[in-house]
């Protein structure tokens, strides 16, 4: 069950991080924060990133094998990177609908899935 909690927290943390990193671009594009100074955008993004850390840190603690979790450090990192890519692609397509995926993007994702497979091999 800790593995499932870890993955759910990683998904939630990546949703927050994607909004922290790229959400301000959509807000700027829509005119909501187009007149904000850069420092205001940074503080806004940091506030969202704080929520990401509130999910990411517990996910790693719960999921880490030395804390009785099911994942090694390398496995946690590879899982996080794959989740990050899936969340980014999903949210980018929702927020920035003009961003189309190409064949090379799909190929890169398949290579990341292969990386997850290889990391979990005994």
């Amino acid at each position: 069950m800790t593995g499932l909690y870890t993955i759910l927290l990683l998904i939630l943390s990546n949703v927050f991080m994607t909004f922290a990193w790229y959400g301000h671009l959509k807000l700027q594009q829509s005119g909501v924060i187009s007149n904000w100074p850069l420092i205001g955008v940074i503080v806004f993004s940091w506030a969202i990133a704080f929520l990401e850390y509130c999910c990411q840190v517990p996910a790693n603690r719960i999921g880490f094998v030395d804390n009785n979790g099911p994942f090694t450090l390398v496995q946690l990192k590879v899982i996080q990177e794959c989740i990050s890519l899936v969340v980014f692609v999903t949210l980018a397509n929702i927020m920035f609908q003009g961003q189309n995926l190409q064949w090379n993007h799909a190929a890169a994702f398949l290579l990341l899935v292969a990386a997850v497979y290889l990391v979990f091999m005994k």
Side-chain angles (χ1 to χ4, degrees), residues 81-82 85-86 89 101-116:
E81 291 299 331
C82 285
L85 182 61
V86 170
V89 167
L101 292 177
Q102 307 297 323
W103 72 268
N104 56 324
H105 302 139
F109 180 70
L110 289 174
L111 290 172
L112 284 173
V113 171
V116 171

Side-chain angles (χ1 to χ4, degrees), residues 3 34 44 59-62 65 76 83 85 87 89 95 116-117:
S34 57
F44 175 75
N60 287 330
R61 288 184 67 91
I62 292 167
V65 70
L76 279 169
I83 290 171
L85 182 61
V87 168
V89 167
M95 292 190 314
V116 171
Y117 174 77

Side-chain angles (χ1 to χ4, degrees), residues 34-54:
S34 57
N35 295 326
W36 284 23
L38 183 56
I39 190 68
V41 175
I42 291 169
V43 170
F44 175 75
S45 292
W46 275 0
I48 298 170
F50 172 75
L51 299 172
E52 183 265 344
Y53 276 85
C54 289

Side-chain angles (χ1 to χ4, degrees), residues 65-77:
V65 70
D66 285 358
N67 293 330
N68 298 318
F71 305 118
T72 66
L73 187 63
V74 173
Q75 289 171 334
L76 279 169
K77 183 61 182 169

